[in-house]
Amino acid sequence: MKKYTKTIILIVIVLLFLYLFGLFVNYYGDWLWFKNMGYSSIFDTMILSRVFSFLMFFVIFALFSTIHISSAYKRGNQSRNNAFMPEEDLRTLFLPLYKGKAVIWFWGVIILFFSIVMGTSASSHWNDLLQLIHSNSFNLKEPVFGKDVSFYIFKFPVYRFAVNWYLFMTAFTFIAVLFSYYLDNAFNISENRFSVSKKVKSHLILLAAFFGLGISSLFIIKLYSILYSSHGATYGPSYMDIHAQIPAYWTIIIISLIITLLLFFYPVYKKRKILIYAIGTWIVVWVGFVWMYPYIIEQYSVKPNELKMEAPYIMNNIKFTREAFGLNKIKTDTFPVDQNITYKDIQDNRHTIENIRLWDRRPLIETYKQLQEIRLYYDFNSVQVDRYLFDKYTEVVLGARELPVTQIPERAQTWVNKHLIYTHGYGIVMNPVNEITPNGMPNLIVKDIPPAATVPLNLKQMAIYYGEETNQYLLVNTKTKEFDYPKGEENVYASYQGKGGVQISSLFRRLVYAWKFSDIKILLTGYLTDQSRIMFYRNITQRDQILAPFLSFDSQPYPVAGQDGNLYWIHDAYTVSNMFPYSEPAKQSTIPGGINYINNSVKVVINAYDGAVTYYVINPKDPLIQTYQKIYPKLFKPFDEMPEFLKEHIRYPTDLFNIQIEMYNTYHMTEPQVFYNQEDYWQVPKEIYDTGQQELFPYYIIMRLPGAQKEEFILMMPLTPSGKDNMIAWMCARCDAPNYGDLIVYTLPKDKLIYGPMQIEARINQKPDISAELTLWSQKGSQVIKGNQLVIPIQNSFIYVEPVYLQSEQGQIPELKRVIVAFKEKIEMKQTLDEALQAVFDVVGEQTETPSQLVAGQTGSPVLSSQAREALDHYNKAIDYLKQDNWSDFGNELQQMKSVLTRMTENKSNVKPGSK
């Protein structure tokens, strides 16, 4: 037996050593990474707070449970020694072993295990503890208890956790003590009676008193949790909560505290009836006052008079929700729609027209992939919209060419290739949002490898070691050269020259990272030198989250070509909370956690070459970011320190804009009666993309806002009434300095019909010539893709623009073939935006082709003219059949029109230029 015991102990020691060594290696490897980034103090703060919270709660749990369990064991001596148990009692098998060191080992292992569990659960709240210590005031008090909002965001989460943790500790200890007394036969159980010794009874009553203190504290937590109630007409305390639930909770708290005191002082007065009456009173109050009374008030007092009674609480909800989501800062203005602009007004707003985004990001990324991935191992994860100042202020779409190892052919996916040679992507691709080549492709102003630009951009260092698809670790500065980029039939190779990654300058560090990444090849490879570096956490979103896990991040980081020749990523970061009192949680947020407070307080900049990460505080007035600045003074920099060439590219984030739109659709209603009836609820309009219906996505555009002196880069969204398709308002976020972050809602006249996107879509589908052409394309085996419909405000009018793409079944390259423009009652589809605008505004210019010009050409041939009329006849008949859903005759007429057009082409080739 001793031999096996020693073996078991040895195995446990080895396993414990391996676990602790693995823990050390993981943290040491991360500490080296933080140090290389210049943020070792951030790592120290996070680790020390975790360790402190773990040790503090570990010790408290271990001491509390050990004291009471050891006390129970000592008090059970007499009953244990005098115990007489029948042979069939299971305790007879256990008790011979339950003595001496075996008892210490038995309870020691159990207490140690649960102490680790409880300490670990506390360590996961390290950030809450830091916020509690360094909290900042919001200077906003809630109206129920009169406490500042900071109490609920910074302190209340810790108190709530502590109470639940305390209850588990006392419950566990109580059960463990009961079990100890049971093993010691301290309970005298017979058919007619149950008795325990005075010592045992007093011990159990003392533990019950500790548990009662926890129950009292739990109801105090429930009292303050009423600020997040969802019982009433709105989120937050309702009439019932204020006038029934809160008094009920106060009553049960007072009774619970009285019972707790009675339990603590029971050895003094020793009257069981007083304690029983007190507990009975608690049960009656809980059932009748805490549970039933609020329900009765809600159903028979509030519901029949809900609007009148709930009005003050609806106002509280409106006020605090608007504050939490920044809706109270939205400026509102009227947009008097008269729809009376002319083509001259279009020309006067030429800068806006020239930046209408014809290239939808969704089909464009497929075009990028087909035209500019160059080699099969490159990939574009996303394309993003930004603006650059070239010869003029230009809206562009751009994407970064990355090299995910999953793109490498399977046979070439060796360890050396994946970690030492194919280390980085290369370059960007860029095109203006509205320029098209004759064959329907985007006009690429930055393309190829190495990047060639037709605009003034400094593209000095375009290697992408850090991006959206860079998920594996790398070893650079090794004895083998890295693949840099392809050049014709050959490849260009290079060595990394930056400071990204941790230097692996010793055998121990190689061992650390071999263990960390479970890859012994790091230890065994002969390619490493003293100057070699290991790069990991290269995915920019993961990188940001590891450095600042207390922030939330936007789903769309975007690349920026800097004036210094480097490529950067800008990533929006948010301070969020789900503890803002009275504030309605966002339902459709891309940020997890049911948030009811959000602020875009930080802009994160990541260097794509060396991975340097900088956090710039753009909203220093946010109390949450002020708290984090206290905790991590070396992490954040003021926005003024951001390079000017990067400031020119900050933009209002779409994730935040979507959340604010979602909330503003309801919370623009500030009158309680209007809010209660939801009579002016707005919604995001639908659009047709490809062939399906979906919600319109916010879009960036360069335009001149009403009353502004010049065009600027904005993010905008049209809005419609709930259940209706007509437009009721449009909302925009300004992106350019000095107005960055300003939100404006332009409301439209309610006595006029202003078409919404889906109404325009319906009118497009009802226009015979457009419908016929799109149908014809589809029948020829091509896929017609309708792009993002854009609603463009110009002066006091709207024009609607929708690109149409054609994608063949054989190829995956969408081509921009037509542009649809709608204004007032006119809708036209032409090859270019200019042609469509001229057609809509009845302008005949050099670029406008009339039907006769399109058919007859410039020869004036009588033969061609007669054939043109014949073709037009077949076309008109085809349209008539289309309206009748007569697809057979519709197809026949189109075939006859095709044969006429074929003869016209042959005749045209026989007509001499200038002939009559």
Side-chain angles (χ1 to χ4, degrees):
M1 183 68 181
K2 289 183 178 180
K3 180 181 178 182
Y4 289 125
T5 302
K6 289 180 179 180
T7 303
I8 292 171
I9 292 173
L10 181 61
I11 292 172
V12 169
I13 291 173
V14 170
L15 291 175
L16 183 62
F17 170 78
L18 291 175
Y19 172 76
L20 293 176
F21 181 74
L23 205 62
F24 164 76
V25 161
N26 187 58
Y27 282 114
Y28 179 67
D30 282 349
W31 180 80
L32 290 173
W33 182 80
F34 273 83
K35 184 181 179 183
N36 180 73
M37 299 281 292
Y39 294 129
S40 59
S41 62
I42 312 304
F43 182 85
D44 294 342
T45 300
M46 290 191 289
I47 290 300
L48 288 175
S49 61
R50 283 188 177 102
V51 171
F52 173 77
S53 54
F54 173 84
L55 290 177
M56 180 173 67
F57 284 88
F58 175 92
V59 170
I60 291 172
F61 185 91
L63 285 176
F64 186 84
S65 55
T66 299
I67 289 170
H68 286 283
I69 291 172
S70 61
S71 176
Y73 182 74
K74 290 177 182 177
R75 296 182 186 195
N77 269 333
Q78 185 176 357
S79 57
R80 187 186 317 113
N81 295 332
N82 299 328
F84 172 77
M85 283 174 264
E87 291 184 2
E88 63 272 13
D89 196 317
L90 293 175
R91 287 175 293 181
T92 57
L93 302 175
F94 185 77
L95 283 177
L97 302 175
Y98 190 67
K99 58 185 177 181
K101 290 184 179 180
V103 175
I104 297 173
W105 276 100
F106 175 74
W107 286 113
V109 169
I110 292 176
I111 292 172
L112 178 64
F113 173 77
F114 279 97
S115 296
I116 291 172
V117 170
M118 297 298 280
T120 303
S121 69
S123 69
S124 65
H125 291 264
W126 61 273
N127 188 51
D128 293 336
L129 292 171
L130 288 174
Q131 290 186 72
L132 172 70
I133 297 168
H134 300 279
S135 61
N136 269 71
S137 174
F138 275 74
N139 294 317
L140 176 67
K141 292 185 177 181
E142 47 82 14
V144 179
F145 301 110
K147 290 188 175 294
D148 190 84
V149 169
S150 59
F151 169 81
Y152 297 94
I153 288 183
F154 298 127
K155 299 176 182 178
F156 186 64
V158 177
Y159 299 157
R160 183 175 59 185
F161 165 75
V163 167
N164 290 323
W165 187 93
Y166 173 84
L167 276 171
F168 184 89
M169 178 183 73
T170 53
F172 166 82
T173 305
F174 189 83
I175 293 170
V177 166
L178 276 177
F179 185 64
S180 177
Y181 283 133
Y182 170 74
L183 291 176
D184 291 335
N185 201 30
F187 305 126
N188 298 320
I189 304 172
S190 63
E191 293 182 0
N192 299 321
R193 59 177 296 181
F194 169 81
S195 63
V196 295
S197 67
K198 290 182 179 180
K199 289 183 178 181
V200 172
K201 183 192 295 184
S202 63
H203 190 194
L204 293 176
I205 288 175
L206 177 63
L207 283 173
F210 281 117
F211 188 76
L213 185 62
I215 294 295
S216 304
S217 302
L218 181 64
F219 277 103
I220 294 175
I221 295 299
K222 286 181 176 292
L223 180 69
Y224 285 103
S225 296
I226 283 178
L227 271 294
Y228 311 100
S229 169
S230 57
H231 294 145
T234 59
Y235 189 82
S238 62
Y239 180 92
M240 180 273 289
D241 291 313
I242 300 297
H243 295 87
Q245 199 71 66
I246 288 178
Y249 278 149
W250 276 120
T251 304
I252 203 76
I253 287 167
I254 291 170
I255 296 174
S256 298
L257 289 172
I258 290 172
I259 292 173
T260 300
L261 290 173
L262 289 173
L263 287 167
F264 273 119
F265 291 101
Y266 182 81
V268 177
Y269 64 90
K270 297 180 181 179
K271 293 183 178 180
R272 188 186 307 171
K273 287 186 178 180
I274 295 176
L275 193 57
I276 293 173
Y277 289 150
I279 294 173
T281 303
W282 187 94
I283 295 171
V284 170
V285 168
W286 186 82
V287 173
F289 202 33
V290 176
W291 182 50
M292 295 183 63
Y293 176 63
Y295 176 80
I296 293 170
I297 294 294
E298 177 74 15
Q299 295 299 319
Y300 301 104
S301 179
V302 176
K303 290 294 184 184
N305 309 283
E306 192 169 42
L307 176 58
K308 180 182 177 181
M309 289 185 163
E310 297 287 12
Y313 311 105
I314 292 174
M315 282 299 297
N316 289 337
N317 170 259
I318 293 171
K319 175 185 175 182
F320 280 81
T321 300
R322 287 172 63 88
E323 177 73 30
F325 289 96
L327 309 183
N328 57 332
K329 298 175 184 177
I330 295 177
K331 302 172 185 176
T332 57
D333 200 355
T334 56
F335 192 81
V337 181
D338 51 34
Q339 294 293 82
N340 63 357
I341 59 171
T342 65
Y343 191 69
K344 183 179 183 304
D345 298 310
I346 295 293
Q347 291 175 320
D348 291 342
N349 290 271
R350 201 68 198 170
H351 202 180
T352 298
I353 300 300
E354 289 173 352
N355 284 286
I356 291 176
R357 179 165 57 84
L358 300 181
W359 283 106
D360 191 313
R361 291 188 302 148
R362 293 162 289 191
L364 182 60
I365 192 170
E366 293 301 324
T367 304
Y368 272 25
K369 285 175 179 289
Q370 294 297 319
L371 298 181
Q372 281 294 307
E373 284 184 352
I374 309 296
R375 295 288 190 273
L376 54 85
Y377 36 75
Y378 286 124
D379 186 46
F380 290 95
N381 184 69
S382 65
V383 292
Q384 298 293 333
V385 179
D386 200 357
R387 73 288 197 195
Y388 285 77
L389 184 60
F390 301 134
D391 56 335
K392 58 184 179 181
Y393 205 35
T394 305
E395 186 173 344
V396 301
V397 184
L398 72 160
R401 187 186 291 105
E402 300 190 52
L403 199 161
V405 293
T406 53
Q407 298 286 99
I408 301 173
E410 187 175 351
R411 293 183 64 181
Q413 288 195 21
T414 64
W415 184 83
V416 173
N417 277 343
K418 289 196 297 183
H419 298 288
L420 278 73
I421 295 179
Y422 290 97
T423 57
H424 58 275
Y426 204 91
I428 59 171
V429 177
M430 181 187 295
N431 67 280
V433 292
N434 71 330
E435 293 186 15
I436 314 159
T437 64
N439 62 348
M441 295 290 107
N443 178 29
L444 301 178
I445 55 177
V446 180
K447 61 182 179 179
D448 300 338
I449 305 176
T454 58
V455 289
L457 280 177
N458 183 2
L459 305 175
K460 180 182 176 182
Q461 181 51 266
M462 288 290 106
I464 303 173
Y465 285 85
Y466 300 86
E468 295 180 276
E469 297 185 275
T470 47
N471 298 314
Q472 83 285 2
Y473 75 85
L474 298 178
L475 295 165
V476 296
N477 281 354
T478 63
K479 294 178 182 178
T480 184
K481 293 284 187 179
E482 303 168 39
F483 168 73
D484 202 21
Y485 58 85
K487 189 175 182 181
E489 297 299 322
E490 299 179 353
N491 293 329
V492 176
Y493 291 87
S495 292
Y496 183 70
Q497 301 298 318
K499 295 183 179 179
V502 177
Q503 198 166 352
I504 308 184
S505 53
S506 66
L507 183 63
F508 179 69
R509 288 192 179 185
R510 291 172 66 169
L511 173 63
V512 165
Y513 289 110
W515 186 288
K516 181 176 177 64
F517 295 110
S518 303
D519 193 343
I520 197 173
K521 296 183 184 69
I522 297 175
L523 189 63
L524 301 178
T525 182
Y527 287 108
L528 300 184
T529 70
D530 291 343
Q531 301 302 314
S532 295
R533 293 174 174 271
I534 183 168
M535 293 181 176
F536 52 99
Y537 302 149
R538 297 190 306 123
N539 182 290
I540 54 176
T541 299
Q542 179 193 31
R543 195 173 186 83
D544 294 342
Q545 289 174 337
I546 289 173
L547 281 169
F550 40 84
L551 297 177
S552 295
F553 294 90
D554 195 81
S555 62
Q556 296 190 52
Y558 56 99
V560 174
Q563 291 179 3
D564 60 353
N566 290 316
L567 185 63
Y568 298 90
W569 296 91
I570 295 182
H571 202 181
D572 287 280
Y574 306 109
T575 53
V576 299
S577 176
N578 59 1
M579 297 300 294
F580 202 94
Y582 255 124
S583 175
E584 179 83 27
K587 295 180 178 63
Q588 299 181 10
S589 170
T590 54
I591 300 167
I595 62 167
N596 66 357
Y597 173 88
I598 185 168
N599 207 313
N600 177 215
S601 297
V602 179
K603 301 287 185 181
V604 187
V605 176
I606 308 102
N607 188 303
Y609 184 69
D610 64 20
V613 182
T614 310
Y615 294 79
Y616 295 101
V617 176
I618 196 170
N619 182 15
K621 294 181 180 179
D622 173 24
L624 265 170
I625 203 62
Q626 290 173 357
T627 297
Y628 292 136
Q629 284 179 297
K630 283 184 182 178
I631 300 171
Y632 310 102
K634 295 184 179 180
L635 179 62
F636 299 100
K637 290 185 178 181
F639 183 68
D640 292 342
E641 294 186 17
M642 179 185 281
E644 290 298 324
F645 66 83
L646 290 175
K647 287 182 182 178
E648 295 171 0
H649 294 280
I650 63 168
R651 65 183 196 184
Y652 203 85
T654 53
D655 285 359
L656 174 60
F657 194 61
N658 278 325
I659 292 171
Q660 289 176 316
I661 287 172
E662 175 199 334
M663 304 310 295
Y664 193 78
N665 282 341
T666 302
Y667 285 91
H668 71 275
M669 298 179 283
T670 54
E671 291 295 324
Q673 182 169 351
V674 176
F675 186 95
Y676 178 80
N677 294 325
Q678 296 287 286
E679 59 190 63
D680 194 24
Y681 178 74
W682 297 351
Q683 66 183 20
V684 173
K686 304 286 186 180
E687 67 165 346
I688 299 295
Y689 173 72
D690 195 354
T691 56
Q693 192 177 119
Q694 62 180 37
E695 281 193 352
L696 191 67
F697 197 76
Y699 49 91
Y700 294 99
I701 184 173
I702 291 177
M703 63 167 286
R704 186 191 307 162
L705 290 174
Q709 297 300 313
K710 62 178 183 178
E711 286 81 6
E712 58 185 291
F713 190 62
I714 66 167
L715 177 64
M716 72 165 287
M717 169 73 85
L719 299 168
T720 61
S722 176
K724 304 290 183 181
D725 290 330
N726 60 290
M727 200 156 60
I728 191 71
W730 60 283
M731 182 175 179
C732 73
R734 306 175 82 171
C735 299
D736 291 345
N739 302 310
Y740 174 82
D742 288 354
L743 296 173
I744 308 174
V745 170
Y746 293 94
T747 56
L748 309 182
K750 293 187 177 181
D751 58 348
K752 292 183 180 180
L753 171 63
I754 295 97
Y755 291 122
M758 281 305 295
Q759 290 174 321
I760 296 296
E761 291 286 358
R763 291 179 58 210
I764 291 172
N765 293 335
Q766 292 165 6
K767 197 164 190 294
D769 56 336
I770 296 177
S771 179
E773 189 165 2
L774 298 182
T775 302
L776 182 60
W777 282 346
S778 298
Q779 287 180 339
K780 288 183 176 180
S782 296
Q783 180 185 4
V784 176
I785 302 172
K786 287 185 176 181
N788 192 190
Q789 185 185 128
L790 306 179
V791 182
I792 313 296
I794 294 181
Q795 294 184 13
N796 290 333
S797 302
F798 291 103
I799 63 171
Y800 305 81
V801 179
E802 181 170 292
V804 178
Y805 309 92
L806 195 62
Q807 182 172 313
S808 68
E809 289 183 350
Q810 292 77 23
Q812 292 296 315
I813 306 180
E815 299 175 8
L816 180 53
K817 285 299 185 185
R818 295 290 186 270
V819 179
I820 300 173
V821 173
F823 173 67
K824 294 172 69 172
E825 302 306 318
K826 293 204 67 176
I827 297 177
E828 296 291 343
M829 182 172 76
K830 298 294 181 182
Q831 288 188 343
T832 68
L833 176 60
D834 281 343
E835 290 175 3
L837 285 169
Q838 290 176 16
V840 161
F841 287 96
D842 296 318
V843 177
V844 179
E846 293 180 0
Q847 296 180 342
T848 305
E849 294 180 315
T850 62
S852 60
Q853 288 174 325
L854 181 63
V855 176
Q858 298 178 347
T859 64
S861 166
V863 176
L864 293 179
S865 297
S866 64
Q867 289 175 337
R869 284 192 295 272
E870 185 183 353
L872 189 58
D873 258 355
H874 288 301
Y875 174 78
N876 290 331
K877 287 180 183 178
I879 295 302
D880 290 336
Y881 287 130
L882 178 65
K883 291 177 180 178
Q884 300 167 23
D885 288 334
N886 187 340
W887 295 100
S888 176
D889 289 336
F890 170 75
N892 290 334
E893 291 296 336
L894 286 181
Q895 286 297 325
Q896 292 184 53
M897 185 177 74
K898 178 183 177 183
S899 64
V900 173
L901 292 173
T902 303
R903 293 201 310 272
M904 285 177 63
T905 304
E906 294 170 353
N907 289 336
K908 186 175 179 180
S909 64
N910 296 323
V911 177
K912 296 180 181 179
S915 64
K916 299 292 184 183

